[in-house]
Amino acid sequence: MTVEIKTITTPFAFNIDVNCYLVKIGNDCILIDTGMPNQRSTIETELKKASCQSENLKLIILTHGDIDHCGNAAYLRQKFGTQIAMHHADLGMVEQGDMFWNRRKPNIFIKAIFGLLFGLDKSDRFKPDLYLKDGDNLAEYGLDAQILNLPGHSKGSIGILTTNGNLFCGDLLGNTDKPKLWSIIDDRSAANASVEKLKSLAINTVYPGHGKPFLMEQFSHYN
């Protein structure tokens, strides 16, 4: 079965863009991450251009619970009649709209500012339909890939690794200037352990949440 990866890039904040990935398997699709709510019309337009419809969007996978990745999940679930899947450890982030739900708590001022800027509105909060864990296989949705637990950016951060070596890594790694550990890391020890885990796997191309895709060997060069 032919697999095609379409990158949908939209603005996030601080001159940083965020990526969603539409993985097309024959006529069917899986959407990985959903962008910011204020970019909803752009996301919808790109999905329409890619012939993604209610009949063929099999699953929405969220790499973690931040608003720039889950912001349109509830809306797209209703529009396409599909299911949302993510790791249970980030549940409170999408149910309560609190990006610090499972992270180290900042001071009150920072929490208030970030809550205003990056809190999920009540209308966009949701409960996932499925919970994914390390080793889960996506074959029943048409994609020959497995789920990887990759904590560090958040406790419930996951990656999706296809059998031909494509890794969708969420915000563990980024490539806005060069391939490296993403700048926002909640637990450095967990992130380092996740990177070591990746180094033991057969990975060719990395598709990050922010920045351009890169070869895994390029990341190794910088680390």
Side-chain angles (χ1 to χ4, degrees):
M1 185 73 70
T2 301
V3 176
E4 175 188 351
I5 300 170
K6 175 180 175 61
T7 304
I8 303 173
T9 302
T10 53
F12 169 40
F14 312 118
N15 294 317
I16 297 174
D17 294 333
V18 61
N19 299 322
C20 309
Y21 296 102
L22 185 65
V23 183
K24 301 190 70 176
I25 315 104
N27 294 322
D28 293 332
C29 306
I30 292 175
L31 180 62
I32 300 174
D33 292 332
T34 66
M36 290 285 289
N38 63 7
Q39 297 297 316
R40 186 162 294 167
S41 61
T42 300
I43 300 294
E44 285 190 274
T45 298
E46 292 302 315
L47 293 178
K48 184 176 181 179
K49 285 181 182 177
S51 300
C52 182
Q53 305 170 36
S54 298
E55 309 82 59
N56 64 353
L57 181 58
K58 299 301 180 182
L59 190 65
I60 296 171
I61 300 176
L62 303 178
T63 58
H64 59 289
D66 283 331
I67 189 173
D68 54 322
H69 295 261
C70 75
N72 293 303
Y75 173 81
L76 293 174
R77 173 171 65 182
Q78 183 176 16
K79 179 180 177 66
F80 288 92
T82 190
Q83 294 183 311
I84 300 171
M86 63 182 292
H87 195 282
H88 188 273
D90 279 4
L91 175 61
M93 297 169 71
V94 300
E95 277 196 322
Q96 302 175 25
D98 180 6
M99 66 178 292
F100 295 109
W101 180 77
N102 69 353
R103 290 180 165 122
R104 290 175 297 172
K105 299 300 184 283
N107 65 55
I108 295 174
F109 177 76
I110 293 295
K111 184 172 183 178
I113 294 297
F114 274 70
L116 288 173
L117 292 175
F118 306 121
L120 199 62
D121 288 343
K122 287 186 178 180
S123 61
D124 293 320
R125 297 174 192 175
F126 60 92
K127 183 174 182 177
D129 304 285
L130 304 169
Y131 295 110
L132 300 172
K133 63 183 185 302
D134 196 67
D136 281 351
N137 195 286
L138 298 174
E140 67 178 288
Y141 301 99
L143 183 61
D144 199 355
Q146 67 171 325
I147 300 299
L148 304 175
N149 285 359
L150 298 176
H153 178 68
S154 70
K155 288 183 174 62
S157 289
I158 60 171
I160 301 96
L161 178 61
T162 68
T163 53
N164 59 353
N166 293 318
L167 172 68
F168 303 90
C169 70
D171 283 359
L172 177 65
L173 310 178
N175 185 27
T176 53
D177 55 356
K178 65 181 182 181
K180 61 184 180 182
L181 197 66
W182 186 233
S183 56
I184 302 173
I185 295 296
D186 181 65
D187 185 330
R188 180 71 59 170
S189 295
N192 289 339
S194 293
V195 168
E196 290 304 312
K197 179 177 183 176
L198 294 184
K199 289 180 178 180
S200 69
L201 300 172
I203 300 171
N204 295 320
T205 304
V206 178
Y207 293 84
H210 304 277
K212 296 181 179 180
F214 59 92
L215 297 178
M216 186 62 186
E217 62 188 28
Q218 292 177 290
F219 173 79
S220 300
H221 175 74
Y222 291 112
N223 293 271

